Amino acid sequence: MTGWTADEMMTVTAARALIGRASCFVGIGLPSTAANLARRTGAPDLALIYESGTIGSRPRTLPLSIGDGELAVTADAVVSVPEIFNYWLQPGRIDLGFLGAAQLDRFGNINTTVVGDYRQPKVRLPGAGGAPEIAASCREVAVVVRHRRRTLVDKVDFVTSVGFGDGPGHRARLGLRGRGPVLVITDLGVLEPDPETCELTLTSVHPGVDPDRVREQTGWPLRIREPLAVTPEPTDHELAALRALTAESVGGTGDV
Amino acid sequence: MAEIVTLAEGIAGLVADGDLVALEGFTHLIPVAAGHELIRQGRRDLTLARMTPDIVYDQLIGAGCASGLIFSWGGNPGVGSLHRLRDAVEHGWPQPLRLEEHSHAGMANRYAAGASGLPFAVLRGYTGTDLLRHTSTVATVTCPFTGEELTAVAALNPDVTIIHAQRADRRGAVQLWGITGVQKEALLAARRSLVTVEEIVPELTPRPGAIVLPAWAVTAVAEVPGGARPSYAQDYYERDNDAYRAWDAISRDRETFLDWLSRTVLEPVARS
């Protein structure tokens, strides 16, 4: 099957990152689409956990919000919001946190708070939500963002959620328990932290993407790991599952 | 025992100008009708607390009811920004808005501390973030047993917490189920509370996973069928996702918003 879009490539790649994981703390939007695709493709037993308190949700359609009724009625358990953060996230029980970002810097720090100065913001963004503790406490973190120069910036205007802070050793100094962002999946390729410097480095480009274009769309001098991989194309099965999932998502909360 | 009141009586009797008010609900069971009643009664200078201010908070802010917001994520879930909130923060319209910003984990623990009668809660959170630099209700504490440095968040005790639930009985005991969010903690943390419910029934039948708030823990209950629309009440009606999508265009423009406000909220709504 050909004729897939850059967004479909991104979502399929993000879903593959969940193969072999037991549990995923899911943010809304692109991460939720990818996590639900993973359950329909390579990770059928993956436990989806949403910050609204739903554990092991198996939504039949994509939720619009993280608190849609569909997530509750298809869950193994529904717990209170304090419980989801204190008992389930905080001790480091959850394998992977899946986050989006308005800004992401070379060390994987995330801004979802403001663009510009905090007191006089150019753009007021929604804020932190669950992200600071997801980024701190999940065993590993993956970030899904569309690759734009205004998004992948040299330095975030506001550190909402910590990646590698200002570089090697910073997470340990802060006492953060999780490993931090191990994967950034965009619509152009995949970035991973360099083992020595923690700097996000291009490790794979999606088919047909010129690495120079990725450089142009990145707000820091992007390093490329050689040999640069090319992401495998979406399979027919992955594409069909993704299209079925998004076609079904006409909203609704799935009360039964 | 909780008093059974009308929505207008409940708001008039329990919420004063300048109060710290929490209308809690995590996507589910959002007390929208109560928010609209606050607007109709012209409350001013409220400090609004909520983990996830959404479109009803956007409406309260745009209508000029709020001078402060204590929150952790202010957006229209799955759709985008809250444009009235942004207009208040970015341009001071209709008035400036003081922000006190937290993470979800921090806010949830602030309510839990408030409900527990403690001055603060302890958690692993905020470390390394810029939130610490802009929020005075977060500090560092040392564990007396291990010496470990941890994060403390100040208790949050609203003057009034308003929630919506599926049912209450005639004495005012409240039952809610599905995604129950942080409503129990927010209500128990408050000095006064108002619960709007889909229906008042003679007797509450037990339901798996339901929360029950005894009548003596609630100040007042009002029967307001549909009081959570366009959010949802599990087993009563579904979330009106189209209304959330439509809010984006309504809220972008001040005039369009004011027109919506007068047509939809300010003209008294006849309730059966």
Side-chain angles (χ1 to χ4, degrees), chain A residues 61-90:
Chain A
T61 56
L62 272 184
L64 180 67
S65 81
I66 45 136
D68 280 24
E70 179 70 7
L71 297 172
V73 298
T74 62
D76 291 330
V78 180
V79 300
S80 75
V81 167
E83 178 175 329
I84 204 79
F85 285 103
N86 289 347
Y87 295 2
W88 298 90
L89 177 64
Q90 184 168 256

PDB file of all heavy atoms in Angstrom, chain A residues 61-90:
ATOM      1  N   THR A  61     -13.361   3.355  19.985  1.00  0.00           N
ATOM      2  CA  THR A  61     -13.124   4.490  19.090  1.00  0.00           C
ATOM      3  C   THR A  61     -12.123   5.405  19.783  1.00  0.00           C
ATOM      4  O   THR A  61     -11.954   5.341  21.007  1.00  0.00           O
ATOM      5  CB  THR A  61     -14.423   5.286  18.849  1.00  0.00           C
ATOM      6  OG1 THR A  61     -14.941   5.690  20.120  1.00  0.00           O
ATOM      7  CG2 THR A  61     -15.463   4.455  18.123  1.00  0.00           C
ATOM      8  N   LEU A  62     -11.479   6.265  19.019  1.00  0.00           N
ATOM      9  CA  LEU A  62     -10.503   7.182  19.602  1.00  0.00           C
ATOM     10  C   LEU A  62     -11.212   8.205  20.467  1.00  0.00           C
ATOM     11  O   LEU A  62     -12.170   8.834  20.027  1.00  0.00           O
ATOM     12  CB  LEU A  62      -9.764   7.932  18.497  1.00  0.00           C
ATOM     13  CG  LEU A  62      -8.522   7.289  17.911  1.00  0.00           C
ATOM     14  CD1 LEU A  62      -7.906   8.260  16.916  1.00  0.00           C
ATOM     15  CD2 LEU A  62      -7.512   6.921  18.995  1.00  0.00           C
ATOM     16  N   PRO A  63     -10.756   8.404  21.693  1.00  0.00           N
ATOM     17  CA  PRO A  63     -11.380   9.427  22.527  1.00  0.00           C
ATOM     18  C   PRO A  63     -10.968  10.830  22.062  1.00  0.00           C
ATOM     19  O   PRO A  63      -9.869  11.008  21.547  1.00  0.00           O
ATOM     20  CB  PRO A  63     -10.812   9.134  23.910  1.00  0.00           C
ATOM     21  CG  PRO A  63      -9.504   8.457  23.660  1.00  0.00           C
ATOM     22  CD  PRO A  63      -9.669   7.695  22.369  1.00  0.00           C
ATOM     23  N   LEU A  64     -11.866  11.805  22.228  1.00  0.00           N
ATOM     24  CA  LEU A  64     -11.487  13.194  21.939  1.00  0.00           C
ATOM     25  C   LEU A  64     -10.732  13.783  23.126  1.00  0.00           C
ATOM     26  O   LEU A  64      -9.794  14.544  22.962  1.00  0.00           O
ATOM     27  CB  LEU A  64     -12.727  14.045  21.635  1.00  0.00           C
ATOM     28  CG  LEU A  64     -12.444  15.528  21.309  1.00  0.00           C
ATOM     29  CD1 LEU A  64     -11.699  15.677  19.989  1.00  0.00           C
ATOM     30  CD2 LEU A  64     -13.726  16.353  21.266  1.00  0.00           C
ATOM     31  N   SER A  65     -11.154  13.394  24.329  1.00  0.00           N
ATOM     32  CA  SER A  65     -10.492  13.893  25.535  1.00  0.00           C
ATOM     33  C   SER A  65      -9.993  12.696  26.336  1.00  0.00           C
ATOM     34  O   SER A  65     -10.360  11.557  26.065  1.00  0.00           O
ATOM     35  CB  SER A  65     -11.473  14.703  26.385  1.00  0.00           C
ATOM     36  OG  SER A  65     -12.282  13.842  27.158  1.00  0.00           O
ATOM     37  N   ILE A  66      -9.168  12.977  27.358  1.00  0.00           N
ATOM     38  CA  ILE A  66      -8.638  11.885  28.175  1.00  0.00           C
ATOM     39  C   ILE A  66      -9.649  11.417  29.212  1.00  0.00           C
ATOM     40  O   ILE A  66      -9.337  10.538  29.998  1.00  0.00           O
ATOM     41  CB  ILE A  66      -7.344  12.301  28.887  1.00  0.00           C
ATOM     42  CG1 ILE A  66      -7.534  13.693  29.480  1.00  0.00           C
ATOM     43  CG2 ILE A  66      -6.153  12.233  27.990  1.00  0.00           C
ATOM     44  CD1 ILE A  66      -7.020  13.820  30.816  1.00  0.00           C
ATOM     45  N   GLY A  67     -10.836  12.001  29.192  1.00  0.00           N
ATOM     46  CA  GLY A  67     -11.846  11.599  30.156  1.00  0.00           C
ATOM     47  C   GLY A  67     -13.131  11.123  29.493  1.00  0.00           C
ATOM     48  O   GLY A  67     -14.172  11.093  30.126  1.00  0.00           O
ATOM     49  N   ASP A  68     -13.064  10.760  28.220  1.00  0.00           N
ATOM     50  CA  ASP A  68     -14.258  10.255  27.542  1.00  0.00           C
ATOM     51  C   ASP A  68     -14.773   9.011  28.256  1.00  0.00           C
ATOM     52  O   ASP A  68     -13.996   8.192  28.747  1.00  0.00           O
ATOM     53  CB  ASP A  68     -13.937   9.897  26.078  1.00  0.00           C
ATOM     54  CG  ASP A  68     -13.906  11.121  25.172  1.00  0.00           C
ATOM     55  OD1 ASP A  68     -13.678  12.219  25.693  1.00  0.00           O
ATOM     56  OD2 ASP A  68     -14.099  10.967  23.951  1.00  0.00           O
ATOM     57  N   GLY A  69     -16.086   8.862  28.260  1.00  0.00           N
ATOM     58  CA  GLY A  69     -16.708   7.722  28.919  1.00  0.00           C
ATOM     59  C   GLY A  69     -16.242   6.386  28.366  1.00  0.00           C
ATOM     60  O   GLY A  69     -16.147   5.393  29.089  1.00  0.00           O
ATOM     61  N   GLU A  70     -15.921   6.369  27.079  1.00  0.00           N
ATOM     62  CA  GLU A  70     -15.442   5.148  26.434  1.00  0.00           C
ATOM     63  C   GLU A  70     -14.208   4.592  27.155  1.00  0.00           C
ATOM     64  O   GLU A  70     -14.030   3.381  27.267  1.00  0.00           O
ATOM     65  CB  GLU A  70     -15.120   5.457  24.962  1.00  0.00           C
ATOM     66  CG  GLU A  70     -14.582   4.312  24.143  1.00  0.00           C
ATOM     67  CD  GLU A  70     -15.610   3.222  23.838  1.00  0.00           C
ATOM     68  OE1 GLU A  70     -16.796   3.400  24.157  1.00  0.00           O
ATOM     69  OE2 GLU A  70     -15.196   2.176  23.303  1.00  0.00           O
ATOM     70  N   LEU A  71     -13.359   5.472  27.660  1.00  0.00           N
ATOM     71  CA  LEU A  71     -12.146   5.034  28.374  1.00  0.00           C
ATOM     72  C   LEU A  71     -12.503   4.391  29.707  1.00  0.00           C
ATOM     73  O   LEU A  71     -11.843   3.452  30.147  1.00  0.00           O
ATOM     74  CB  LEU A  71     -11.205   6.220  28.598  1.00  0.00           C
ATOM     75  CG  LEU A  71     -10.665   6.877  27.330  1.00  0.00           C
ATOM     76  CD1 LEU A  71      -9.900   8.149  27.677  1.00  0.00           C
ATOM     77  CD2 LEU A  71      -9.781   5.913  26.552  1.00  0.00           C
ATOM     78  N   ALA A  72     -13.570   4.876  30.341  1.00  0.00           N
ATOM     79  CA  ALA A  72     -13.960   4.351  31.645  1.00  0.00           C
ATOM     80  C   ALA A  72     -14.685   3.024  31.515  1.00  0.00           C
ATOM     81  O   ALA A  72     -14.384   2.070  32.232  1.00  0.00           O
ATOM     82  CB  ALA A  72     -14.843   5.367  32.378  1.00  0.00           C
ATOM     83  N   VAL A  73     -15.635   2.958  30.574  1.00  0.00           N
ATOM     84  CA  VAL A  73     -16.463   1.744  30.510  1.00  0.00           C
ATOM     85  C   VAL A  73     -15.693   0.554  29.932  1.00  0.00           C
ATOM     86  O   VAL A  73     -16.117  -0.583  30.102  1.00  0.00           O
ATOM     87  CB  VAL A  73     -17.787   1.969  29.730  1.00  0.00           C
ATOM     88  CG1 VAL A  73     -18.641   3.022  30.429  1.00  0.00           C
ATOM     89  CG2 VAL A  73     -17.540   2.336  28.281  1.00  0.00           C
ATOM     90  N   THR A  74     -14.553   0.797  29.290  1.00  0.00           N
ATOM     91  CA  THR A  74     -13.766  -0.320  28.737  1.00  0.00           C
ATOM     92  C   THR A  74     -12.512  -0.599  29.571  1.00  0.00           C
ATOM     93  O   THR A  74     -11.643  -1.355  29.145  1.00  0.00           O
ATOM     94  CB  THR A  74     -13.336  -0.028  27.284  1.00  0.00           C
ATOM     95  OG1 THR A  74     -12.479   1.139  27.279  1.00  0.00           O
ATOM     96  CG2 THR A  74     -14.540   0.239  26.381  1.00  0.00           C
ATOM     97  N   ALA A  75     -12.393   0.001  30.756  1.00  0.00           N
ATOM     98  CA  ALA A  75     -11.166  -0.117  31.559  1.00  0.00           C
ATOM     99  C   ALA A  75     -11.214  -1.310  32.516  1.00  0.00           C
ATOM    100  O   ALA A  75     -12.273  -1.762  32.905  1.00  0.00           O
ATOM    101  CB  ALA A  75     -10.950   1.164  32.355  1.00  0.00           C
ATOM    102  N   ASP A  76     -10.016  -1.797  32.893  1.00  0.00           N
ATOM    103  CA  ASP A  76      -9.923  -2.805  33.961  1.00  0.00           C
ATOM    104  C   ASP A  76     -10.353  -2.188  35.286  1.00  0.00           C
ATOM    105  O   ASP A  76     -10.966  -2.846  36.118  1.00  0.00           O
ATOM    106  CB  ASP A  76      -8.474  -3.291  34.121  1.00  0.00           C
ATOM    107  CG  ASP A  76      -8.018  -4.103  32.921  1.00  0.00           C
ATOM    108  OD1 ASP A  76      -8.876  -4.756  32.295  1.00  0.00           O
ATOM    109  OD2 ASP A  76      -6.813  -4.081  32.612  1.00  0.00           O
ATOM    110  N   ALA A  77      -9.968  -0.926  35.486  1.00  0.00           N
ATOM    111  CA  ALA A  77     -10.285  -0.247  36.734  1.00  0.00           C
ATOM    112  C   ALA A  77     -10.330   1.249  36.478  1.00  0.00           C
ATOM    113  O   ALA A  77      -9.635   1.757  35.595  1.00  0.00           O
ATOM    114  CB  ALA A  77      -9.221  -0.552  37.789  1.00  0.00           C
ATOM    115  N   VAL A  78     -11.178   1.934  37.225  1.00  0.00           N
ATOM    116  CA  VAL A  78     -11.199   3.394  37.210  1.00  0.00           C
ATOM    117  C   VAL A  78     -10.899   3.852  38.628  1.00  0.00           C
ATOM    118  O   VAL A  78     -11.571   3.442  39.566  1.00  0.00           O
ATOM    119  CB  VAL A  78     -12.570   3.947  36.746  1.00  0.00           C
ATOM    120  CG1 VAL A  78     -12.546   5.467  36.734  1.00  0.00           C
ATOM    121  CG2 VAL A  78     -12.930   3.409  35.370  1.00  0.00           C
ATOM    122  N   VAL A  79      -9.860   4.654  38.774  1.00  0.00           N
ATOM    123  CA  VAL A  79      -9.465   5.121  40.105  1.00  0.00           C
ATOM    124  C   VAL A  79      -9.511   6.650  40.126  1.00  0.00           C
ATOM    125  O   VAL A  79      -9.629   7.293  39.085  1.00  0.00           O
ATOM    126  CB  VAL A  79      -8.059   4.610  40.498  1.00  0.00           C
ATOM    127  CG1 VAL A  79      -8.028   3.082  40.507  1.00  0.00           C
ATOM    128  CG2 VAL A  79      -6.978   5.180  39.600  1.00  0.00           C
ATOM    129  N   SER A  80      -9.395   7.218  41.314  1.00  0.00           N
ATOM    130  CA  SER A  80      -9.454   8.677  41.421  1.00  0.00           C
ATOM    131  C   SER A  80      -8.187   9.303  40.835  1.00  0.00           C
ATOM    132  O   SER A  80      -7.169   8.628  40.659  1.00  0.00           O
ATOM    133  CB  SER A  80      -9.604   9.090  42.890  1.00  0.00           C
ATOM    134  OG  SER A  80      -8.367   8.933  43.567  1.00  0.00           O
ATOM    135  N   VAL A  81      -8.252  10.589  40.561  1.00  0.00           N
ATOM    136  CA  VAL A  81      -7.095  11.292  39.996  1.00  0.00           C
ATOM    137  C   VAL A  81      -5.909  11.326  40.978  1.00  0.00           C
ATOM    138  O   VAL A  81      -4.775  11.053  40.583  1.00  0.00           O
ATOM    139  CB  VAL A  81      -7.496  12.689  39.478  1.00  0.00           C
ATOM    140  CG1 VAL A  81      -6.268  13.543  39.192  1.00  0.00           C
ATOM    141  CG2 VAL A  81      -8.334  12.546  38.210  1.00  0.00           C
ATOM    142  N   PRO A  82      -6.135  11.620  42.289  1.00  0.00           N
ATOM    143  CA  PRO A  82      -4.989  11.524  43.200  1.00  0.00           C
ATOM    144  C   PRO A  82      -4.347  10.135  43.190  1.00  0.00           C
ATOM    145  O   PRO A  82      -3.123  10.013  43.227  1.00  0.00           O
ATOM    146  CB  PRO A  82      -5.606  11.838  44.578  1.00  0.00           C
ATOM    147  CG  PRO A  82      -6.803  12.683  44.262  1.00  0.00           C
ATOM    148  CD  PRO A  82      -7.332  12.166  42.957  1.00  0.00           C
ATOM    149  N   GLU A  83      -5.173   9.085  43.099  1.00  0.00           N
ATOM    150  CA  GLU A  83      -4.611   7.727  43.099  1.00  0.00           C
ATOM    151  C   GLU A  83      -3.778   7.458  41.856  1.00  0.00           C
ATOM    152  O   GLU A  83      -2.707   6.850  41.936  1.00  0.00           O
ATOM    153  CB  GLU A  83      -5.729   6.674  43.226  1.00  0.00           C
ATOM    154  CG  GLU A  83      -5.150   5.257  43.173  1.00  0.00           C
ATOM    155  CD  GLU A  83      -6.148   4.141  43.405  1.00  0.00           C
ATOM    156  OE1 GLU A  83      -7.116   4.337  44.151  1.00  0.00           O
ATOM    157  OE2 GLU A  83      -5.936   3.057  42.845  1.00  0.00           O
ATOM    158  N   ILE A  84      -4.251   7.887  40.692  1.00  0.00           N
ATOM    159  CA  ILE A  84      -3.501   7.571  39.465  1.00  0.00           C
ATOM    160  C   ILE A  84      -2.104   8.187  39.528  1.00  0.00           C
ATOM    161  O   ILE A  84      -1.115   7.577  39.142  1.00  0.00           O
ATOM    162  CB  ILE A  84      -4.273   7.990  38.185  1.00  0.00           C
ATOM    163  CG1 ILE A  84      -3.813   7.155  36.989  1.00  0.00           C
ATOM    164  CG2 ILE A  84      -4.087   9.442  37.806  1.00  0.00           C
ATOM    165  CD1 ILE A  84      -4.380   5.795  36.909  1.00  0.00           C
ATOM    166  N   PHE A  85      -2.025   9.384  40.078  1.00  0.00           N
ATOM    167  CA  PHE A  85      -0.708  10.030  40.170  1.00  0.00           C
ATOM    168  C   PHE A  85       0.128   9.465  41.312  1.00  0.00           C
ATOM    169  O   PHE A  85       1.324   9.227  41.138  1.00  0.00           O
ATOM    170  CB  PHE A  85      -0.852  11.550  40.299  1.00  0.00           C
ATOM    171  CG  PHE A  85      -1.224  12.194  38.996  1.00  0.00           C
ATOM    172  CD1 PHE A  85      -2.521  12.621  38.752  1.00  0.00           C
ATOM    173  CD2 PHE A  85      -0.281  12.330  37.984  1.00  0.00           C
ATOM    174  CE1 PHE A  85      -2.873  13.180  37.529  1.00  0.00           C
ATOM    175  CE2 PHE A  85      -0.614  12.882  36.757  1.00  0.00           C
ATOM    176  CZ  PHE A  85      -1.918  13.312  36.534  1.00  0.00           C
ATOM    177  N   ASN A  86      -0.484   9.243  42.486  1.00  0.00           N
ATOM    178  CA  ASN A  86       0.299   8.852  43.664  1.00  0.00           C
ATOM    179  C   ASN A  86       0.688   7.377  43.679  1.00  0.00           C
ATOM    180  O   ASN A  86       1.821   7.040  43.998  1.00  0.00           O
ATOM    181  CB  ASN A  86      -0.464   9.201  44.944  1.00  0.00           C
ATOM    182  CG  ASN A  86      -0.510  10.706  45.181  1.00  0.00           C
ATOM    183  OD1 ASN A  86       0.218  11.462  44.533  1.00  0.00           O
ATOM    184  ND2 ASN A  86      -1.353  11.151  46.082  1.00  0.00           N
ATOM    185  N   TYR A  87      -0.272   6.502  43.372  1.00  0.00           N
ATOM    186  CA  TYR A  87       0.013   5.068  43.502  1.00  0.00           C
ATOM    187  C   TYR A  87       0.576   4.463  42.219  1.00  0.00           C
ATOM    188  O   TYR A  87       1.299   3.474  42.270  1.00  0.00           O
ATOM    189  CB  TYR A  87      -1.264   4.281  43.835  1.00  0.00           C
ATOM    190  CG  TYR A  87      -1.916   4.562  45.152  1.00  0.00           C
ATOM    191  CD1 TYR A  87      -1.434   5.523  46.035  1.00  0.00           C
ATOM    192  CD2 TYR A  87      -3.060   3.852  45.511  1.00  0.00           C
ATOM    193  CE1 TYR A  87      -2.078   5.767  47.231  1.00  0.00           C
ATOM    194  CE2 TYR A  87      -3.705   4.094  46.708  1.00  0.00           C
ATOM    195  CZ  TYR A  87      -3.213   5.054  47.566  1.00  0.00           C
ATOM    196  OH  TYR A  87      -3.865   5.289  48.751  1.00  0.00           O
ATOM    197  N   TRP A  88       0.147   4.992  41.079  1.00  0.00           N
ATOM    198  CA  TRP A  88       0.474   4.325  39.814  1.00  0.00           C
ATOM    199  C   TRP A  88       1.631   4.981  39.087  1.00  0.00           C
ATOM    200  O   TRP A  88       2.535   4.305  38.614  1.00  0.00           O
ATOM    201  CB  TRP A  88      -0.781   4.242  38.938  1.00  0.00           C
ATOM    202  CG  TRP A  88      -1.828   3.429  39.623  1.00  0.00           C
ATOM    203  CD1 TRP A  88      -2.795   3.877  40.485  1.00  0.00           C
ATOM    204  CD2 TRP A  88      -1.951   2.004  39.602  1.00  0.00           C
ATOM    205  NE1 TRP A  88      -3.521   2.818  40.971  1.00  0.00           N
ATOM    206  CE2 TRP A  88      -3.031   1.662  40.454  1.00  0.00           C
ATOM    207  CE3 TRP A  88      -1.262   0.986  38.935  1.00  0.00           C
ATOM    208  CZ2 TRP A  88      -3.430   0.334  40.651  1.00  0.00           C
ATOM    209  CZ3 TRP A  88      -1.663  -0.329  39.128  1.00  0.00           C
ATOM    210  CH2 TRP A  88      -2.732  -0.646  39.985  1.00  0.00           C
ATOM    211  N   LEU A  89       1.653   6.306  39.013  1.00  0.00           N
ATOM    212  CA  LEU A  89       2.722   6.991  38.282  1.00  0.00           C
ATOM    213  C   LEU A  89       3.960   7.219  39.154  1.00  0.00           C
ATOM    214  O   LEU A  89       5.077   6.873  38.776  1.00  0.00           O
ATOM    215  CB  LEU A  89       2.205   8.330  37.741  1.00  0.00           C
ATOM    216  CG  LEU A  89       3.249   9.178  37.007  1.00  0.00           C
ATOM    217  CD1 LEU A  89       3.729   8.470  35.748  1.00  0.00           C
ATOM    218  CD2 LEU A  89       2.675  10.545  36.647  1.00  0.00           C
ATOM    219  N   GLN A  90       3.764   7.796  40.329  1.00  0.00           N
ATOM    220  CA  GLN A  90       4.872   8.282  41.161  1.00  0.00           C
ATOM    221  C   GLN A  90       5.935   7.227  41.486  1.00  0.00           C
ATOM    222  O   GLN A  90       7.131   7.517  41.458  1.00  0.00           O
ATOM    223  CB  GLN A  90       4.287   8.878  42.445  1.00  0.00           C
ATOM    224  CG  GLN A  90       5.277   9.524  43.378  1.00  0.00           C
ATOM    225  CD  GLN A  90       4.530  10.328  44.448  1.00  0.00           C
ATOM    226  OE1 GLN A  90       4.489  11.539  44.383  1.00  0.00           O
ATOM    227  NE2 GLN A  90       3.930   9.648  45.403  1.00  0.00           N
TER     228      GLN A  90
END
